[in-house]
Amino acid sequence: QLFRDTGTTHLIVVSGFHVGIVFGIFYRLVYLLLVWCTALPNYIAVQRIAAALAMPIAAGYTWLAGAEPTAVRALLVAAIYALAKITGRDATSGRTLLLAFLTVILIWPGYQFEASCHLTFAALLGLHCGCSCLTQYSTESSWREHWFVKSVVLSTFASLYTMPVVLAWFQTIVPLSFAINVIAIPLFSAIFIVGSGVGLLSQFLSLPGSNFILAVVLEAGELFLRLLKAAAHGATYLGL
């Protein structure tokens, strides 16, 4: 109920959102690790290797999550994005998004009439426009290159583009969900996906400090829920 009241239900439903987040996070982590640990001089080569290594991780997550239809479709979209990276094409171009859409509806005819399709591709279109905006207005030393700023900008675009779809399909919208999601999405991703993933992996490998990491993640998760509850109370108080 708390997530429904704040318009953040998508955070706790195993869906394309999670698959996209897992792929994006591990792509970035592998990319940074390659840049730090190797002497690969070619920027494109690093991108290709990172995309190739992040894809199996996203596939593994989809399988562990039960291979829900929405997650499988999102995995296919991620695979097309990864293929564009591997082949040296612009993965954020409108052509890649169009190819992903056409591929999905060819495999699942009728999917284009479902709410999940409209939500997924509205969010992807928002991310595409957000990436274009960041690329157009950023420079190498710009504050826009900061990862948190990028997260906020992309979350903002995704929320803006999905709002009309939510309103059209469900005839309801949480006015403050836009502002809440801008902060909630990066925090949720950092705590529950990255934090818990690192904690569980370290515990599986019996690394020292694994219990401490999981304890920190649990505390951070409880703090996140308290902040979300405060946001819900604030929205109710303001009549929103």
Side-chain angles (χ1 to χ4, degrees), residues 27-238:
Y27 167 81
R28 191 63 180 172
L29 288 176
V30 172
Y31 171 80
L32 293 174
L33 188 63
L34 286 172
V35 170
W36 181 59
C37 294
T38 70
L40 286 174
N42 193 332
Y43 171 72
I44 300 299
V46 174
Q47 285 190 317
R48 290 174 177 175
I49 296 172
L53 293 178
M55 197 58 228
I57 296 174
Y61 170 82
T62 304
W63 177 73
L64 288 173
E68 294 291 332
T70 53
V72 173
R73 291 163 187 157
L75 181 65
L76 177 60
V77 173
I80 292 173
Y81 174 88
L83 183 62
K85 284 285 187 182
I86 294 169
T87 56
R89 300 181 181 275
D90 182 8
T92 60
S93 71
R95 290 188 297 273
T96 303
L97 183 59
L98 178 60
L99 175 62
F101 176 74
L102 293 176
T103 303
V104 168
I105 64 174
L106 282 174
I107 297 175
W108 292 281
Y111 175 58
Q112 67 271 28
F113 302 114
E114 298 180 14
S116 59
C117 176
H118 298 170
L119 286 169
T120 296
F121 283 95
L124 289 173
L125 181 60
L127 293 175
H128 166 67
C129 294
C131 288
S132 300
C133 181
L134 286 170
T135 301
Q136 182 177 357
Y137 293 104
S138 64
T139 60
E140 188 174 351
S141 60
S142 173
W143 56 268
R144 297 179 183 88
E145 292 297 316
H146 195 280
W147 69 270
F148 185 77
V149 174
K150 284 185 175 182
S151 298
V152 171
V153 171
L154 294 178
S155 299
T156 300
F157 273 89
S159 298
L160 282 174
Y161 276 71
T162 53
M163 270 188 176
V165 179
V166 172
L167 186 61
W169 273 97
F170 307 108
Q171 291 78 49
T172 182
I173 197 167
V174 180
L176 281 183
S177 65
F178 163 70
I180 293 172
N181 273 288
V182 166
I183 303 300
I185 291 175
L187 287 178
F188 180 91
S189 302
I191 296 170
F192 293 100
I193 296 180
V194 177
S196 59
V198 170
L200 291 173
L201 181 62
S202 62
Q203 192 170 62
F204 177 77
L205 297 175
S206 300
L207 298 177
S210 59
N211 290 332
F212 174 76
I213 294 173
L214 287 175
V216 170
V217 170
L218 288 174
E219 287 295 329
E222 290 181 3
L223 178 60
F224 175 83
L225 293 176
R226 288 198 293 268
L227 290 174
L228 204 60
K229 187 175 293 186
H233 289 325
T236 303
Y237 178 76
L238 295 173

